[in-house]
Amino acid sequence: MAGTLIPERTAERLCELSSDARAAVLLDAAGSLAGWHGLPKESSREAAELARELFETVDRAHRDLPGGPPEQVEAQVEGGTVYASRTPRWTLAVVGRRAALSSLMLTDLRAVLGELEGGRPIRRSSPAEEEAAAGPATEEAAASELPVPELGREAE
Amino acid sequence: MKEKRKGPIGRAAGLAEGFAATVRRMQREREPRVLVYDETGYARLVQPDGRGYERVLETAGRLVALVDEAEAEAKPRRARRAEAEDEDA
């Protein structure tokens, strides 16, 4: 179902999606804290402030880049890596483990923000056991899972 | 083309080269770095003498420290909760 992700759940959704995400904060367009996960409330306010500062610094330093202002930032420090991504309405920042793969983390950030903006929900595969519990597998059910329509099926 | 068979010294040298390369790669991965991405996903590495480099790293370091602190505080709490659950059971 599209548009089911709410700002309060967004940071948690990102941390569920990526096992390398330790904590995340979501900021609205005004820079106010809109959601958090992995941090107590007092710390999350400070984290939101730091996430805002991160983009402010980047904007001051790199506003004249040929591709426009940076949309994502990655900063690797001794104890971990900070990834941040933004849309015109939201900014999502996450502290990841050192072992995190940058490309995956940045893709997850984009995907979660896309879902928050009303885009397609991220589809996660479920274990076979859960599927079995949902009911017996049928050909019709399998066909409905196909990403593209089966050729010639309409002619039937 | 058939690969030339290496002797014991050649094999040892090969292993040492591989080990050295791994150590170099791990050192490189541990180094602080800042990357910015435009909307197409094109990445630019900010050089250590580049504008904003130090400030971004400092801010990121504070964010990581904040999460470290929160996790350290949460651990004893989680342990206490687990103990209480064990006692109840």
Side-chain angles (χ1 to χ4, degrees):
Chain A
M1 215 191 309
T4 51
L5 187 61
I6 55 168
E8 292 79 9
R9 273 265 305 137
T10 304
E12 189 183 349
R13 177 95 168 114
L14 178 70
C15 295
E16 278 171 7
L17 202 65
S18 170
S19 56
D20 286 322
R22 295 167 63 196
V25 285
L26 178 77
L27 283 69
D28 62 16
S32 305
L33 182 66
W36 69 91
H37 184 76
L39 285 165
K41 195 174 182 182
E42 318 82 66
S43 308
S44 60
R45 283 213 188 92
E46 200 180 333
E49 187 73 32
L50 290 168
R52 196 169 57 224
E53 201 179 306
L54 194 74
F55 266 119
E56 277 172 8
T57 308
V58 164
D59 280 341
R60 269 199 302 273
H62 304 279
R63 73 183 105 197
D64 46 356
L65 283 181
E71 195 185 271
Q72 294 186 303
V73 184
E74 174 189 337
Q76 184 174 289
V77 291
E78 205 177 320
T81 309
V82 174
Y83 303 90
S85 189
R86 65 180 169 184
T87 66
R89 289 174 65 196
W90 305 103
T91 298
L92 184 57
V94 60
V95 174
R97 290 176 222 290
R98 284 300 303 260
L101 281 176
S102 302
S103 53
L104 281 182
M105 196 60 94
L106 293 167
T107 304
D108 286 346
L109 276 164
R110 268 179 205 258
V112 171
L113 281 176
E115 198 179 341
L116 178 64
E117 298 268 10
R120 284 186 62 181
I122 304 152
R123 201 175 143 189
R124 299 184 71 182
S125 53
S126 50
E129 280 174 21
E130 276 179 28
E131 278 173 15
T138 59
E139 264 186 46
E140 287 76 21
S144 68
E145 293 266 310
L146 285 175
V148 287
E150 211 173 314
L151 286 177
R153 201 166 171 82
E154 283 170 25
E156 280 173 15
Chain B
M1 200 176 79
K2 203 173 176 184
E3 201 176 305
K4 197 179 169 186
R5 191 175 288 174
K6 281 182 182 173
I9 294 173
R11 278 203 298 273
L15 279 172
E17 273 171 27
F19 180 73
T22 305
V23 170
R24 275 198 303 274
R25 185 171 50 79
M26 284 168 73
Q27 276 172 346
R28 211 168 40 235
E29 281 170 3
R30 268 200 296 268
E31 278 168 16
R33 64 173 189 175
V34 178
L35 284 132
V36 291
Y37 300 80
D38 67 16
E39 61 178 345
T40 61
Y42 185 82
R44 284 181 179 82
L45 183 70
V46 181
Q47 296 301 322
D49 58 353
R51 281 181 293 168
Y53 176 86
E54 288 295 336
R55 187 78 191 271
V56 168
L57 283 185
E58 190 201 317
T59 310
R62 280 160 64 197
L63 256 168
V64 171
L66 205 61
V67 174
D68 285 344
E69 275 170 34
E71 283 181 349
E73 275 173 28
K75 260 183 200 163
R77 242 183 288 146
R78 260 187 244 133
R80 276 201 301 273
R81 207 181 308 144
E83 270 174 31
E85 279 170 8
D86 286 346
E87 280 169 20
D88 289 344

